[in-house]
Amino acid sequence: MSGDEDELLFRRYRMLQEFVGWQDEDAASLRRWGPRIESVFPSIVDDFYDRIRSTPEAMNAIREGEPQIARLMSTLRLWLVELFSGTYDQAYVARRWRIGRRHVEIGLEPSLVSAAMSRLRARLVEALRQATDSDPGCDEREGERVLVALGRLLDLELAIVDQAFREEFTRRDQQTQRMATLGQVAGGIAHELRNPLNVIKTSVYFLTNASRISPEKMNEHLGRIERQVDLANEVISAVTQFARIAALERSPVDLAKLVPEWVDNHCLNHTIVRRLELARVPTIQADPRQLQIAVGNIVRNACEAMGVGGELSLTLGEIDRHIVLSIADQGSGIPPETLRRITEPWYSTKARGAGLGLAITKAILDKHGAELSVESRLGSGSCFTIRFPLAPHASGLEGTVGRASIDAAETSAPRTSGADS
Ligand code: HEM
């Protein structure tokens, strides 16, 4: 795990600490009582591994038999000592996360870890009760306090383990999805390349086999070949763009500064009037290179939808803890029945184009946790709105009433005009 990830994880841990009502006094209380029950740790560890030995599912994870168990027993003892150390800082959380990760790697079921934690909890509560009850200087409140502190701490331990499992399941899920997408993408590429190749083949056949070709016919076929090569190239560029959106390289992005540059790069038609109303908004943590692709695809579509003339309006502002960027055109608009399907890979609304532009845009925005929605009226134009959450965990659920909110799961639509790259 990188330093950044450690920090993110720790921030989340602090949030959960606050949620459970964790106080400095909890840490102090655990630090006070830990050494008083250390003598029982070996018996707790013995009990823990006796239970593992008698549980076949748990033993499946033990590949090296008793020597491994002996090693694990001493790591569990150290784990217990650290549990009562009273220092629950970033390094502590990172170490605990790595232990959680180790259990994920060995294929342990999360429920087994929870059950094991429950067993440890019961034994630790029992040990603490005995220690506080038998200490004449310890009043009832102090006895209760350390138990509450232990309960909170163990719940937080489970939250770390849960996070490690959840990340793994998300990773596996994404891998499955990627494989499914790969099949879809490969089929799409084959289909999109076969068309131009067939046309080229026909023209080449004609040029090589025709006995007498007029210069006009020759030019017509050469022109056709050139156009089809361009088309095949477009397909390849779009696929390459898709392939490049692997990992995000985030940095602070000042949209008000970058958006005009992106418009210049992607709206090459100078008959189109540009109206930019870009308020100064807080920077967002984003990958500027990928965002340029995402926004550029929308801008290019908007300009192409207008043909010659029209107004391209970009508005940037902060609304309800979101940075909102709207891109509106005065083009032909998108029919309502296809509005919700335009981010599907290989769905093209233009006579020429691979149909990957908005799918790429959607994929990039998804990775940024941003939401894409679109409003469109036939004959008057379309408005694409991107909402970036300001806080790391902002949900971005509100604000899409009366629009089509584009869902990555929605797929498949016929070809129409005006919304694709
Ligand atoms: C909440 C309960 C548990 C705690 C606190 C715990 C603690 C630990 C610790 C501290 C490590 C060492 C990680 C490292 O430094 O790489 C570890 C690894 C491991 N644990 Fe657990 N564990 C728990 C539950 C379980 C359960 C139920 C099993 C089932 C067999 C298990 C099996 C293992 C195995 C196989 C390893 C890898 C050891 C190795 O690398 O040889 N653990 N555990």
Side-chain angles (χ1 to χ4, degrees), residues 189-216:
I189 296 171
H191 176 80
E192 294 297 325
L193 288 180
R194 189 167 291 130
N195 288 343
L197 288 177
N198 278 340
V199 178
I200 292 170
K201 195 172 175 186
T202 310
S203 287
V204 169
Y205 182 85
F206 179 84
L207 291 173
T208 37
N209 290 297
S211 48
R212 274 204 318 274
I213 312 172
S214 67
E216 293 79 32

PDB file of all heavy atoms in Angstrom, residues 189-216:
ATOM      1  N   ILE A 189     -14.533  -4.166 -32.304  1.00  0.00           N
ATOM      2  CA  ILE A 189     -13.391  -3.771 -33.151  1.00  0.00           C
ATOM      3  C   ILE A 189     -13.439  -4.554 -34.464  1.00  0.00           C
ATOM      4  O   ILE A 189     -13.309  -4.000 -35.550  1.00  0.00           O
ATOM      5  CB  ILE A 189     -12.038  -4.024 -32.442  1.00  0.00           C
ATOM      6  CG1 ILE A 189     -11.915  -3.158 -31.205  1.00  0.00           C
ATOM      7  CG2 ILE A 189     -10.866  -3.738 -33.375  1.00  0.00           C
ATOM      8  CD1 ILE A 189     -10.711  -3.493 -30.339  1.00  0.00           C
ATOM      9  N   ALA A 190     -13.658  -5.872 -34.304  1.00  0.00           N
ATOM     10  CA  ALA A 190     -13.698  -6.722 -35.508  1.00  0.00           C
ATOM     11  C   ALA A 190     -14.770  -6.205 -36.470  1.00  0.00           C
ATOM     12  O   ALA A 190     -14.523  -6.044 -37.671  1.00  0.00           O
ATOM     13  CB  ALA A 190     -13.991  -8.162 -35.100  1.00  0.00           C
ATOM     14  N   HIS A 191     -15.944  -5.915 -35.908  1.00  0.00           N
ATOM     15  CA  HIS A 191     -17.054  -5.469 -36.745  1.00  0.00           C
ATOM     16  C   HIS A 191     -16.730  -4.133 -37.431  1.00  0.00           C
ATOM     17  O   HIS A 191     -16.931  -3.966 -38.635  1.00  0.00           O
ATOM     18  CB  HIS A 191     -18.297  -5.339 -35.869  1.00  0.00           C
ATOM     19  CG  HIS A 191     -19.473  -4.793 -36.594  1.00  0.00           C
ATOM     20  ND1 HIS A 191     -20.249  -5.572 -37.414  1.00  0.00           N
ATOM     21  CD2 HIS A 191     -19.993  -3.538 -36.645  1.00  0.00           C
ATOM     22  CE1 HIS A 191     -21.199  -4.831 -37.926  1.00  0.00           C
ATOM     23  NE2 HIS A 191     -21.069  -3.590 -37.484  1.00  0.00           N
ATOM     24  N   GLU A 192     -16.199  -3.197 -36.625  1.00  0.00           N
ATOM     25  CA  GLU A 192     -15.931  -1.858 -37.155  1.00  0.00           C
ATOM     26  C   GLU A 192     -14.814  -1.856 -38.196  1.00  0.00           C
ATOM     27  O   GLU A 192     -14.794  -1.026 -39.085  1.00  0.00           O
ATOM     28  CB  GLU A 192     -15.568  -0.889 -36.018  1.00  0.00           C
ATOM     29  CG  GLU A 192     -16.695  -0.616 -35.046  1.00  0.00           C
ATOM     30  CD  GLU A 192     -17.887   0.077 -35.702  1.00  0.00           C
ATOM     31  OE1 GLU A 192     -17.665   0.900 -36.604  1.00  0.00           O
ATOM     32  OE2 GLU A 192     -19.023  -0.219 -35.317  1.00  0.00           O
ATOM     33  N   LEU A 193     -13.850  -2.793 -38.059  1.00  0.00           N
ATOM     34  CA  LEU A 193     -12.748  -2.822 -39.034  1.00  0.00           C
ATOM     35  C   LEU A 193     -13.119  -3.624 -40.288  1.00  0.00           C
ATOM     36  O   LEU A 193     -12.616  -3.351 -41.374  1.00  0.00           O
ATOM     37  CB  LEU A 193     -11.481  -3.402 -38.401  1.00  0.00           C
ATOM     38  CG  LEU A 193     -10.780  -2.493 -37.390  1.00  0.00           C
ATOM     39  CD1 LEU A 193      -9.538  -3.172 -36.836  1.00  0.00           C
ATOM     40  CD2 LEU A 193     -10.384  -1.155 -38.017  1.00  0.00           C
ATOM     41  N   ARG A 194     -14.027  -4.587 -40.094  1.00  0.00           N
ATOM     42  CA  ARG A 194     -14.367  -5.434 -41.239  1.00  0.00           C
ATOM     43  C   ARG A 194     -15.041  -4.601 -42.343  1.00  0.00           C
ATOM     44  O   ARG A 194     -14.746  -4.783 -43.516  1.00  0.00           O
ATOM     45  CB  ARG A 194     -15.266  -6.584 -40.794  1.00  0.00           C
ATOM     46  CG  ARG A 194     -15.466  -7.598 -41.910  1.00  0.00           C
ATOM     47  CD  ARG A 194     -16.072  -8.879 -41.410  1.00  0.00           C
ATOM     48  NE  ARG A 194     -15.158  -9.641 -40.573  1.00  0.00           N
ATOM     49  CZ  ARG A 194     -15.471 -10.128 -39.380  1.00  0.00           C
ATOM     50  NH1 ARG A 194     -16.658  -9.912 -38.868  1.00  0.00           N
ATOM     51  NH2 ARG A 194     -14.605 -10.839 -38.691  1.00  0.00           N
ATOM     52  N   ASN A 195     -15.912  -3.675 -41.953  1.00  0.00           N
ATOM     53  CA  ASN A 195     -16.620  -2.868 -42.950  1.00  0.00           C
ATOM     54  C   ASN A 195     -15.662  -2.120 -43.870  1.00  0.00           C
ATOM     55  O   ASN A 195     -15.701  -2.327 -45.088  1.00  0.00           O
ATOM     56  CB  ASN A 195     -17.579  -1.875 -42.283  1.00  0.00           C
ATOM     57  CG  ASN A 195     -18.780  -2.580 -41.711  1.00  0.00           C
ATOM     58  OD1 ASN A 195     -19.045  -3.720 -42.073  1.00  0.00           O
ATOM     59  ND2 ASN A 195     -19.474  -1.932 -40.796  1.00  0.00           N
ATOM     60  N   PRO A 196     -14.767  -1.265 -43.328  1.00  0.00           N
ATOM     61  CA  PRO A 196     -13.857  -0.566 -44.240  1.00  0.00           C
ATOM     62  C   PRO A 196     -12.955  -1.518 -45.025  1.00  0.00           C
ATOM     63  O   PRO A 196     -12.686  -1.298 -46.209  1.00  0.00           O
ATOM     64  CB  PRO A 196     -13.017   0.341 -43.334  1.00  0.00           C
ATOM     65  CG  PRO A 196     -13.315  -0.046 -41.944  1.00  0.00           C
ATOM     66  CD  PRO A 196     -14.606  -0.806 -41.938  1.00  0.00           C
ATOM     67  N   LEU A 197     -12.526  -2.612 -44.382  1.00  0.00           N
ATOM     68  CA  LEU A 197     -11.637  -3.542 -45.091  1.00  0.00           C
ATOM     69  C   LEU A 197     -12.354  -4.173 -46.285  1.00  0.00           C
ATOM     70  O   LEU A 197     -11.758  -4.350 -47.363  1.00  0.00           O
ATOM     71  CB  LEU A 197     -11.125  -4.633 -44.140  1.00  0.00           C
ATOM     72  CG  LEU A 197     -10.098  -4.147 -43.110  1.00  0.00           C
ATOM     73  CD1 LEU A 197      -9.701  -5.266 -42.163  1.00  0.00           C
ATOM     74  CD2 LEU A 197      -8.852  -3.588 -43.805  1.00  0.00           C
ATOM     75  N   ASN A 198     -13.641  -4.485 -46.100  1.00  0.00           N
ATOM     76  CA  ASN A 198     -14.406  -5.065 -47.207  1.00  0.00           C
ATOM     77  C   ASN A 198     -14.513  -4.092 -48.371  1.00  0.00           C
ATOM     78  O   ASN A 198     -14.369  -4.474 -49.533  1.00  0.00           O
ATOM     79  CB  ASN A 198     -15.807  -5.467 -46.729  1.00  0.00           C
ATOM     80  CG  ASN A 198     -15.756  -6.821 -46.042  1.00  0.00           C
ATOM     81  OD1 ASN A 198     -14.807  -7.588 -46.245  1.00  0.00           O
ATOM     82  ND2 ASN A 198     -16.745  -7.103 -45.220  1.00  0.00           N
ATOM     83  N   VAL A 199     -14.771  -2.815 -48.022  1.00  0.00           N
ATOM     84  CA  VAL A 199     -14.892  -1.809 -49.086  1.00  0.00           C
ATOM     85  C   VAL A 199     -13.556  -1.671 -49.816  1.00  0.00           C
ATOM     86  O   VAL A 199     -13.490  -1.633 -51.060  1.00  0.00           O
ATOM     87  CB  VAL A 199     -15.343  -0.449 -48.494  1.00  0.00           C
ATOM     88  CG1 VAL A 199     -15.422   0.610 -49.586  1.00  0.00           C
ATOM     89  CG2 VAL A 199     -16.681  -0.592 -47.790  1.00  0.00           C
ATOM     90  N   ILE A 200     -12.462  -1.635 -49.043  1.00  0.00           N
ATOM     91  CA  ILE A 200     -11.122  -1.504 -49.655  1.00  0.00           C
ATOM     92  C   ILE A 200     -10.860  -2.692 -50.586  1.00  0.00           C
ATOM     93  O   ILE A 200     -10.405  -2.541 -51.725  1.00  0.00           O
ATOM     94  CB  ILE A 200     -10.021  -1.419 -48.562  1.00  0.00           C
ATOM     95  CG1 ILE A 200     -10.154  -0.092 -47.798  1.00  0.00           C
ATOM     96  CG2 ILE A 200      -8.626  -1.563 -49.154  1.00  0.00           C
ATOM     97  CD1 ILE A 200      -9.307   0.010 -46.550  1.00  0.00           C
ATOM     98  N   LYS A 201     -11.203  -3.878 -50.083  1.00  0.00           N
ATOM     99  CA  LYS A 201     -10.951  -5.086 -50.872  1.00  0.00           C
ATOM    100  C   LYS A 201     -11.700  -5.025 -52.209  1.00  0.00           C
ATOM    101  O   LYS A 201     -11.142  -5.353 -53.274  1.00  0.00           O
ATOM    102  CB  LYS A 201     -11.389  -6.315 -50.070  1.00  0.00           C
ATOM    103  CG  LYS A 201     -10.848  -7.598 -50.615  1.00  0.00           C
ATOM    104  CD  LYS A 201     -11.134  -8.737 -49.695  1.00  0.00           C
ATOM    105  CE  LYS A 201     -10.669 -10.016 -50.372  1.00  0.00           C
ATOM    106  NZ  LYS A 201     -11.052 -11.175 -49.596  1.00  0.00           N
ATOM    107  N   THR A 202     -12.962  -4.573 -52.128  1.00  0.00           N
ATOM    108  CA  THR A 202     -13.761  -4.492 -53.352  1.00  0.00           C
ATOM    109  C   THR A 202     -13.119  -3.539 -54.354  1.00  0.00           C
ATOM    110  O   THR A 202     -13.007  -3.836 -55.550  1.00  0.00           O
ATOM    111  CB  THR A 202     -15.192  -3.998 -53.004  1.00  0.00           C
ATOM    112  OG1 THR A 202     -15.664  -4.784 -51.937  1.00  0.00           O
ATOM    113  CG2 THR A 202     -16.137  -4.124 -54.180  1.00  0.00           C
ATOM    114  N   SER A 203     -12.678  -2.365 -53.852  1.00  0.00           N
ATOM    115  CA  SER A 203     -12.075  -1.379 -54.759  1.00  0.00           C
ATOM    116  C   SER A 203     -10.764  -1.888 -55.339  1.00  0.00           C
ATOM    117  O   SER A 203     -10.485  -1.704 -56.529  1.00  0.00           O
ATOM    118  CB  SER A 203     -11.830  -0.059 -54.025  1.00  0.00           C
ATOM    119  OG  SER A 203     -13.063   0.583 -53.815  1.00  0.00           O
ATOM    120  N   VAL A 204      -9.956  -2.538 -54.495  1.00  0.00           N
ATOM    121  CA  VAL A 204      -8.671  -3.072 -54.979  1.00  0.00           C
ATOM    122  C   VAL A 204      -8.940  -4.132 -56.048  1.00  0.00           C
ATOM    123  O   VAL A 204      -8.274  -4.166 -57.093  1.00  0.00           O
ATOM    124  CB  VAL A 204      -7.845  -3.664 -53.812  1.00  0.00           C
ATOM    125  CG1 VAL A 204      -6.650  -4.457 -54.318  1.00  0.00           C
ATOM    126  CG2 VAL A 204      -7.377  -2.545 -52.886  1.00  0.00           C
ATOM    127  N   TYR A 205      -9.948  -4.964 -55.790  1.00  0.00           N
ATOM    128  CA  TYR A 205     -10.299  -6.002 -56.770  1.00  0.00           C
ATOM    129  C   TYR A 205     -10.665  -5.356 -58.100  1.00  0.00           C
ATOM    130  O   TYR A 205     -10.181  -5.757 -59.161  1.00  0.00           O
ATOM    131  CB  TYR A 205     -11.481  -6.824 -56.231  1.00  0.00           C
ATOM    132  CG  TYR A 205     -11.866  -7.950 -57.151  1.00  0.00           C
ATOM    133  CD1 TYR A 205     -11.210  -9.182 -57.086  1.00  0.00           C
ATOM    134  CD2 TYR A 205     -12.873  -7.786 -58.101  1.00  0.00           C
ATOM    135  CE1 TYR A 205     -11.547 -10.216 -57.945  1.00  0.00           C
ATOM    136  CE2 TYR A 205     -13.214  -8.819 -58.968  1.00  0.00           C
ATOM    137  CZ  TYR A 205     -12.550 -10.039 -58.882  1.00  0.00           C
ATOM    138  OH  TYR A 205     -12.876 -11.047 -59.727  1.00  0.00           O
ATOM    139  N   PHE A 206     -11.494  -4.301 -58.000  1.00  0.00           N
ATOM    140  CA  PHE A 206     -11.910  -3.621 -59.226  1.00  0.00           C
ATOM    141  C   PHE A 206     -10.697  -3.033 -59.956  1.00  0.00           C
ATOM    142  O   PHE A 206     -10.530  -3.220 -61.162  1.00  0.00           O
ATOM    143  CB  PHE A 206     -12.923  -2.519 -58.869  1.00  0.00           C
ATOM    144  CG  PHE A 206     -13.376  -1.751 -60.066  1.00  0.00           C
ATOM    145  CD1 PHE A 206     -14.414  -2.233 -60.865  1.00  0.00           C
ATOM    146  CD2 PHE A 206     -12.761  -0.555 -60.426  1.00  0.00           C
ATOM    147  CE1 PHE A 206     -14.822  -1.529 -61.977  1.00  0.00           C
ATOM    148  CE2 PHE A 206     -13.162   0.154 -61.546  1.00  0.00           C
ATOM    149  CZ  PHE A 206     -14.200  -0.342 -62.323  1.00  0.00           C
ATOM    150  N   LEU A 207      -9.828  -2.355 -59.191  1.00  0.00           N
ATOM    151  CA  LEU A 207      -8.673  -1.685 -59.811  1.00  0.00           C
ATOM    152  C   LEU A 207      -7.708  -2.685 -60.447  1.00  0.00           C
ATOM    153  O   LEU A 207      -7.076  -2.406 -61.471  1.00  0.00           O
ATOM    154  CB  LEU A 207      -7.919  -0.828 -58.770  1.00  0.00           C
ATOM    155  CG  LEU A 207      -8.662   0.422 -58.277  1.00  0.00           C
ATOM    156  CD1 LEU A 207      -7.906   1.091 -57.150  1.00  0.00           C
ATOM    157  CD2 LEU A 207      -8.867   1.416 -59.421  1.00  0.00           C
ATOM    158  N   THR A 208      -7.568  -3.861 -59.841  1.00  0.00           N
ATOM    159  CA  THR A 208      -6.610  -4.817 -60.411  1.00  0.00           C
ATOM    160  C   THR A 208      -7.208  -5.636 -61.550  1.00  0.00           C
ATOM    161  O   THR A 208      -6.480  -6.124 -62.411  1.00  0.00           O
ATOM    162  CB  THR A 208      -6.059  -5.788 -59.327  1.00  0.00           C
ATOM    163  OG1 THR A 208      -7.109  -6.101 -58.439  1.00  0.00           O
ATOM    164  CG2 THR A 208      -4.895  -5.235 -58.578  1.00  0.00           C
ATOM    165  N   ASN A 209      -8.523  -5.803 -61.532  1.00  0.00           N
ATOM    166  CA  ASN A 209      -9.117  -6.708 -62.528  1.00  0.00           C
ATOM    167  C   ASN A 209      -9.835  -6.034 -63.691  1.00  0.00           C
ATOM    168  O   ASN A 209     -10.043  -6.684 -64.720  1.00  0.00           O
ATOM    169  CB  ASN A 209     -10.080  -7.673 -61.851  1.00  0.00           C
ATOM    170  CG  ASN A 209      -9.300  -8.659 -60.988  1.00  0.00           C
ATOM    171  OD1 ASN A 209      -8.507  -9.435 -61.503  1.00  0.00           O
ATOM    172  ND2 ASN A 209      -9.491  -8.575 -59.690  1.00  0.00           N
ATOM    173  N   ALA A 210     -10.211  -4.794 -63.545  1.00  0.00           N
ATOM    174  CA  ALA A 210     -10.946  -4.141 -64.636  1.00  0.00           C
ATOM    175  C   ALA A 210     -10.021  -3.981 -65.830  1.00  0.00           C
ATOM    176  O   ALA A 210      -8.838  -3.644 -65.687  1.00  0.00           O
ATOM    177  CB  ALA A 210     -11.468  -2.791 -64.181  1.00  0.00           C
ATOM    178  N   SER A 211     -10.538  -4.286 -67.036  1.00  0.00           N
ATOM    179  CA  SER A 211      -9.650  -4.245 -68.199  1.00  0.00           C
ATOM    180  C   SER A 211      -9.322  -2.808 -68.597  1.00  0.00           C
ATOM    181  O   SER A 211      -8.177  -2.473 -68.878  1.00  0.00           O
ATOM    182  CB  SER A 211     -10.269  -5.017 -69.360  1.00  0.00           C
ATOM    183  OG  SER A 211     -11.610  -4.603 -69.497  1.00  0.00           O
ATOM    184  N   ARG A 212     -10.353  -1.961 -68.592  1.00  0.00           N
ATOM    185  CA  ARG A 212     -10.057  -0.545 -68.927  1.00  0.00           C
ATOM    186  C   ARG A 212     -10.718   0.324 -67.854  1.00  0.00           C
ATOM    187  O   ARG A 212     -11.920   0.236 -67.630  1.00  0.00           O
ATOM    188  CB  ARG A 212     -10.652  -0.193 -70.300  1.00  0.00           C
ATOM    189  CG  ARG A 212      -9.700  -0.543 -71.454  1.00  0.00           C
ATOM    190  CD  ARG A 212     -10.001   0.300 -72.705  1.00  0.00           C
ATOM    191  NE  ARG A 212     -11.414   0.444 -72.981  1.00  0.00           N
ATOM    192  CZ  ARG A 212     -12.138  -0.437 -73.683  1.00  0.00           C
ATOM    193  NH1 ARG A 212     -11.573  -1.518 -74.174  1.00  0.00           N
ATOM    194  NH2 ARG A 212     -13.421  -0.228 -73.908  1.00  0.00           N
ATOM    195  N   ILE A 213      -9.922   1.172 -67.201  1.00  0.00           N
ATOM    196  CA  ILE A 213     -10.494   2.019 -66.155  1.00  0.00           C
ATOM    197  C   ILE A 213     -10.343   3.467 -66.577  1.00  0.00           C
ATOM    198  O   ILE A 213      -9.237   3.911 -66.918  1.00  0.00           O
ATOM    199  CB  ILE A 213      -9.754   1.839 -64.804  1.00  0.00           C
ATOM    200  CG1 ILE A 213      -9.582   0.354 -64.481  1.00  0.00           C
ATOM    201  CG2 ILE A 213     -10.498   2.530 -63.670  1.00  0.00           C
ATOM    202  CD1 ILE A 213      -8.715   0.100 -63.275  1.00  0.00           C
ATOM    203  N   SER A 214     -11.449   4.177 -66.521  1.00  0.00           N
ATOM    204  CA  SER A 214     -11.353   5.607 -66.831  1.00  0.00           C
ATOM    205  C   SER A 214     -10.674   6.309 -65.663  1.00  0.00           C
ATOM    206  O   SER A 214     -10.741   5.832 -64.516  1.00  0.00           O
ATOM    207  CB  SER A 214     -12.759   6.194 -67.027  1.00  0.00           C
ATOM    208  OG  SER A 214     -13.445   6.167 -65.783  1.00  0.00           O
ATOM    209  N   PRO A 215     -10.005   7.454 -65.945  1.00  0.00           N
ATOM    210  CA  PRO A 215      -9.359   8.182 -64.843  1.00  0.00           C
ATOM    211  C   PRO A 215     -10.370   8.533 -63.744  1.00  0.00           C
ATOM    212  O   PRO A 215     -10.047   8.500 -62.548  1.00  0.00           O
ATOM    213  CB  PRO A 215      -8.822   9.453 -65.504  1.00  0.00           C
ATOM    214  CG  PRO A 215      -8.762   9.143 -66.954  1.00  0.00           C
ATOM    215  CD  PRO A 215      -9.775   8.097 -67.242  1.00  0.00           C
ATOM    216  N   GLU A 216     -11.633   8.850 -64.109  1.00  0.00           N
ATOM    217  CA  GLU A 216     -12.649   9.203 -63.101  1.00  0.00           C
ATOM    218  C   GLU A 216     -12.908   8.024 -62.172  1.00  0.00           C
ATOM    219  O   GLU A 216     -12.974   8.152 -60.948  1.00  0.00           O
ATOM    220  CB  GLU A 216     -13.985   9.613 -63.766  1.00  0.00           C
ATOM    221  CG  GLU A 216     -13.951  10.905 -64.557  1.00  0.00           C
ATOM    222  CD  GLU A 216     -13.318  10.693 -65.934  1.00  0.00           C
ATOM    223  OE1 GLU A 216     -13.484   9.582 -66.491  1.00  0.00           O
ATOM    224  OE2 GLU A 216     -12.631  11.602 -66.431  1.00  0.00           O
TER     225      GLU A 216
END
